[in-house]
Amino acid sequence: MACLGVATLLTAGPARGDLARFDLAGRIYTKWMYTNDDSQGLLTWGNPFWPDNIAGGNGVGSEFELKIRGAVANAVRAEVRLKSRFGALWQDWWENGDVNYPEPNTSGESLGMNHAEYIRLRGAFIDANLPLPTVRSVLIGSSDLGMFNPWTIGKVRYIDRDNAKGAFLTGGSGEGELSYTVAAIALPKLFAGPGWSTGVGDAALDHPFWSSDWAYAVKLDWQPLDFGQVTLVGTVTRDHEIDVADPDAQGSVNPSCQDALGYPIPGCVRDHAVERVTRYSNAVGTLQYKGMPLDFLSLDALVGVSRSDVNEAVTFNGVAGNAGVFPIVFDDVTDFATVVRADLLDPFEAGLSLKAEVFSIGEHWNSIFGARREADVLLTDGFVDGGQLPTLNIANEFMDFDEPWFESAIGWYGATVVPELELDRLRLAAEATYIGYHTNGQERDVEHIYPDFLHTDGFTDTDLYDFANTTDRGRDPRSVYRRNQDRQSFIGVVQGRYDVGLGVDLGVEVKLKTVIDRDARSHATTSDDYAGDRYIGRFALDARVTDELGVKVGTQLERWDERNRRGTLELGYGDDTTDKAKVFAGLVYAWSGFNLRYHLEMVHKDQQREREPDQLWRVFRSKATVEVLW
């Protein structure tokens, strides 16, 4: 047998994989950040909850990722994504994660794992088309969760796109009229719960138990011919903890099943099984219709219900204990939402279209696992221009200064009308929006129940933002509750683009925007009434220089007049005036797989404050990226 084994090894052909079943894709991404400040890093806004050492406006760094796709069989495929850790600067030559050297540290290994360019597994999944009735796909592993909607379980933001993992079953009828998706998704132990966690760091828990926390979802699509599409989505997010009354639990308060006098506790028995309690649950359901009842009319209507339950025995009250910075209402609440949009698509064939929307999102609505950014549920331009989402869990962090912002629309009701005109070389659009607030009221309990996110007053400055509000940035985009509020808002926008023509690929872009914000605040007096008027004008030239090179330059001017912007009833309020100017330039160059983007801007802000010292900013900053994919 030994001789036979040796002979087999000597005569066998070389082992090789079936390369036809593998597909490799690579990506190298490099970013330059430069700002006229003393920060060092590759990210404008980093982690707001604890200090990090990757945020900053001066540095250059690279990352590499590799995707490996495998065709296991005709009906089974798999994929993994490997990616280097982003945060290391080109100057970090020797960083490997060690921080064990005494000060002064001259080792070159002083910044820890954030600056060590290790490779980690970012995503992995198996997708199988199993021979089961009605089943089309069984996916096990990573997903961006884009199959539901922003109201229920939202598509995760770009930086988290492969972090979500679960089991997903999709299928439907043979004719395609009815399809379904069923999913069980592992909850992230950070962000999807009270205190932005499923127990980690909660002062009410000695032993947080996050490994059994899941979200469950069902989606049904019905698409009959000539009717449109009806979609039903139902989701439940559940955060479990160990019942410390169970004698088998770690840290049990009844380890011996005896009370303080030594008597047996009724019903208490050690059975080597541990009971669990629910710390927090959020159930959300939506019913949506999309269709075109007429050739020129598109309808999109959504109704939804949201229910949140919090177990106060195992949840720290961050409303009372964290200055009102908390992503849920600290109570058991239920509420509803409705959004109806109609699009008239050039009914007179004259280039004129009209969009109209009515919306109402209840004051107690919340989607803890809904979209946190990179989505938009309302038609309006809003206050921060980026988008509006039905959650208190907005994520305006881990991003750069040139990325859009998002705000919570909880409590909003109103209507938006957007006429659009498109001619040969001219495109014009306008917006008129009225916003009322279901959150209007007097003496709301923002000390124990309703989170106000600490900063509730004034227009939000997304150009010069910091989480601690040391630069007086105005209202937090997540702030929807105030102790006293009687508010209404109006938004007006006119914008357009004119293509010059005449053999020149040049576009002229103009945008004018006005925001009128009024809040009577306390009904006991008129001395605290807020009146904010914001005026924005933007002008830009966009040119295609060659097939590979595009250039854009422009400027934006803003004026904010705010009466009684910030203060208290006891100490009084002050009037603020803000003048802001931005000049920007950018280019895009794409040639043969080489992709370059560059953005340069100067922001000048003069803030004149009646009750506090005036403030001045002169900020220059730039961002360049080079990317190749193969």
Side-chain angles (χ1 to χ4, degrees):
M1 292 295 294
C3 293
L4 181 59
V6 172
T8 301
L9 291 174
L10 293 175
T11 58
R16 66 182 66 185
D18 186 351
L19 297 182
R21 293 186 176 275
F22 281 88
D23 182 20
L24 304 179
R27 173 179 175 266
I28 297 176
Y29 175 84
T30 299
K31 179 167 73 171
W32 287 258
M33 296 279 288
Y34 285 102
T35 309
N36 60 335
D37 63 17
D38 57 0
S39 65
Q40 301 183 98
L42 287 167
L43 195 64
T44 306
W45 292 289
N47 195 315
F49 303 111
W50 56 82
D52 64 54
N53 59 2
I54 60 173
N58 293 280
V60 55
S62 299
E63 65 179 4
F64 167 72
E65 73 174 48
L66 175 66
K67 287 186 178 180
I68 306 173
R69 303 184 183 95
V72 181
N74 291 336
V76 181
R77 66 187 182 97
E79 179 178 311
V80 296
R81 186 167 75 96
L82 307 176
K83 185 174 176 295
S84 64
R85 181 71 166 84
F86 185 73
L89 305 181
W90 278 4
Q91 286 83 358
D92 294 333
W93 281 28
W94 295 284
E95 291 290 353
N96 65 0
D98 290 342
V99 289
N100 296 321
Y101 297 93
E103 296 294 338
N105 190 331
T106 60
S107 68
E109 301 175 8
S110 56
L111 295 177
M113 292 300 288
N114 278 346
H115 287 248
E117 296 176 294
Y118 60 90
I119 299 289
R120 64 165 291 194
L121 177 65
R122 287 299 302 267
F125 69 82
I126 299 169
D127 189 8
N129 183 4
L130 302 180
L132 298 173
T134 77
V135 174
R136 298 172 188 159
S137 169
V138 176
L139 190 145
I140 308 296
S142 299
S143 169
D144 66 1
L145 307 183
M147 67 283 289
F148 302 108
N149 64 29
W151 299 84
T152 53
I153 293 179
K155 184 177 181 179
V156 295
R157 56 184 176 169
Y158 177 75
I159 65 168
D160 294 326
R161 63 194 182 278
D162 286 336
N163 286 346
K165 297 176 178 65
F168 307 85
L169 179 69
T170 61
S173 64
E175 295 78 17
E177 287 189 2
L178 181 66
S179 61
Y180 63 85
T181 300
V182 181
I185 303 161
L187 278 188
K189 62 182 179 181
L190 292 180
F191 94 71
W196 290 277
S197 84
T198 58
V200 178
D202 195 311
L205 295 171
D206 293 326
H207 306 287
F209 189 71
W210 63 80
S211 59
S212 66
D213 297 333
W214 292 85
Y216 307 94
V218 176
K219 176 183 177 182
L220 299 175
D221 277 318
W222 182 47
Q223 192 166 5
L225 297 176
D226 302 324
F227 179 76
Q229 180 175 344
V230 177
T231 303
L232 174 67
V233 180
T235 64
V236 177
T237 300
R238 295 184 68 86
D239 173 8
H240 291 100
E241 302 299 336
I242 295 300
D243 184 358
V244 293
D246 192 312
D248 293 291
Q250 181 180 6
S252 173
V253 296
N254 302 315
S256 63
C257 285
Q258 295 179 340
D259 61 19
L261 298 177
Y263 294 106
I265 299 175
C268 180
V269 60
R270 296 186 64 92
D271 58 1
H272 298 282
V274 177
E275 296 295 327
R276 301 174 186 177
V277 297
T278 300
R279 174 174 176 259
Y280 176 75
S281 66
N282 181 217
V284 184
T286 61
L287 179 64
Q288 186 173 17
Y289 164 77
K290 290 184 178 181
M292 294 191 66
L294 300 174
D295 292 340
F296 57 86
L297 176 62
S298 171
L299 291 179
D300 186 347
L302 178 142
V303 294
V305 59
S306 167
R307 171 71 183 180
S308 295
D309 295 276
V310 58
N311 185 345
E312 300 183 15
V314 289
T315 306
F316 173 72
N317 187 342
V319 177
N322 197 32
V325 181
F326 204 58
I328 69 167
V329 173
F330 201 71
D331 200 358
D332 299 339
V333 291
T334 302
D335 223 320
F336 303 90
T338 303
V339 178
V340 179
R341 183 182 303 181
D343 293 0
L344 288 172
L345 308 173
D346 195 9
F348 306 110
E349 298 183 354
L352 181 62
S353 300
L354 179 68
K355 297 178 180 178
E357 180 179 82
V358 293
F359 52 89
S360 175
I361 304 173
E363 64 173 328
H364 292 132
W365 178 284
N366 199 10
S367 302
I368 198 69
F369 209 2
R372 308 175 71 204
R373 57 175 294 109
E374 298 164 10
D376 191 7
V377 300
L378 296 182
L379 179 60
T380 178
D381 211 43
F383 295 94
V384 300
D385 299 348
Q388 298 78 42
L389 293 170
T391 182
L392 293 174
N393 212 353
I394 301 294
N396 289 313
E397 72 270 348
F398 295 112
M399 57 184 245
D400 289 329
F401 65 88
D402 61 336
E403 298 182 59
W405 282 73
F406 295 82
E407 61 191 330
S408 177
I410 291 175
W412 291 17
Y413 69 87
T416 299
V417 177
V418 178
E420 297 177 331
L421 177 65
E422 185 169 351
L423 301 177
D424 184 25
R425 296 199 301 268
L426 177 66
R427 293 190 295 276
L428 290 175
E431 175 194 331
T433 294
Y434 167 76
I435 303 174
Y437 297 88
H438 292 299
T439 51
N440 283 346
Q442 299 293 297
E443 296 301 324
R444 183 184 294 274
D445 186 356
V446 294
E447 302 294 336
H448 305 93
I449 298 176
Y450 294 94
D452 63 4
F453 285 88
L454 193 59
H455 308 295
T456 62
D457 301 311
F459 293 122
T460 306
D461 188 351
T462 59
D463 283 315
L464 302 166
Y465 182 93
D466 76 292
F467 293 100
N469 202 26
T470 57
T471 57
D472 191 12
R473 57 177 163 81
R475 178 182 290 112
D476 191 298
R478 301 164 294 183
S479 178
V480 300
Y481 303 109
R482 301 189 81 253
R483 182 184 303 279
N484 299 311
Q485 180 176 290
D486 186 3
R487 184 184 178 200
Q488 58 182 339
S489 306
F490 305 87
I491 298 173
V493 181
V494 176
Q495 57 186 328
R497 176 184 171 91
Y498 180 73
D499 294 321
V500 175
L502 303 176
V504 179
D505 194 354
L506 174 65
V508 180
E509 300 176 357
V510 177
K511 180 177 181 179
L512 303 175
K513 180 175 180 178
T514 300
V515 179
I516 300 174
D517 198 15
R518 298 291 184 266
D519 189 352
R521 291 174 173 159
S522 174
H523 289 174
T525 179
T526 60
S527 63
D528 67 340
D529 290 1
Y530 171 79
D533 299 315
R534 183 177 183 181
Y535 308 98
I536 304 172
R538 181 182 178 94
F539 175 83
L541 297 175
D542 188 1
R544 174 61 62 178
V545 180
T546 67
D547 291 341
E548 299 83 18
L549 176 62
V551 178
K552 188 171 187 176
V553 296
T555 184
Q556 180 169 306
L557 303 176
E558 300 185 34
R559 172 85 176 196
W560 306 353
D561 291 319
E562 297 178 276
R563 179 168 58 87
N564 289 338
R565 178 178 183 269
R566 192 169 68 166
T568 65
L569 284 172
E570 295 77 16
L571 300 178
Y573 289 80
D575 299 344
D576 289 12
T577 300
T578 302
D579 292 299
K580 194 164 65 166
K582 183 193 298 184
V583 179
F584 57 89
L587 64 85
V588 177
Y589 182 80
W591 179 80
S592 190
F594 178 89
N595 300 287
L596 166 67
R597 292 181 178 271
Y598 178 73
H599 181 85
L600 169 68
E601 70 179 32
M602 182 277 290
V603 180
H604 178 98
K605 178 181 177 182
D606 184 3
Q607 188 176 26
Q608 301 173 23
R609 304 189 294 180
E610 182 179 3
R611 299 179 61 86
E612 298 169 285
D614 296 344
Q615 297 191 97
L616 177 66
W617 285 264
R618 294 192 184 98
V619 176
F620 292 84
R621 54 194 180 190
S622 66
K623 174 182 174 181
T625 62
V626 170
E627 183 179 37
V628 295
L629 301 92
W630 69 95

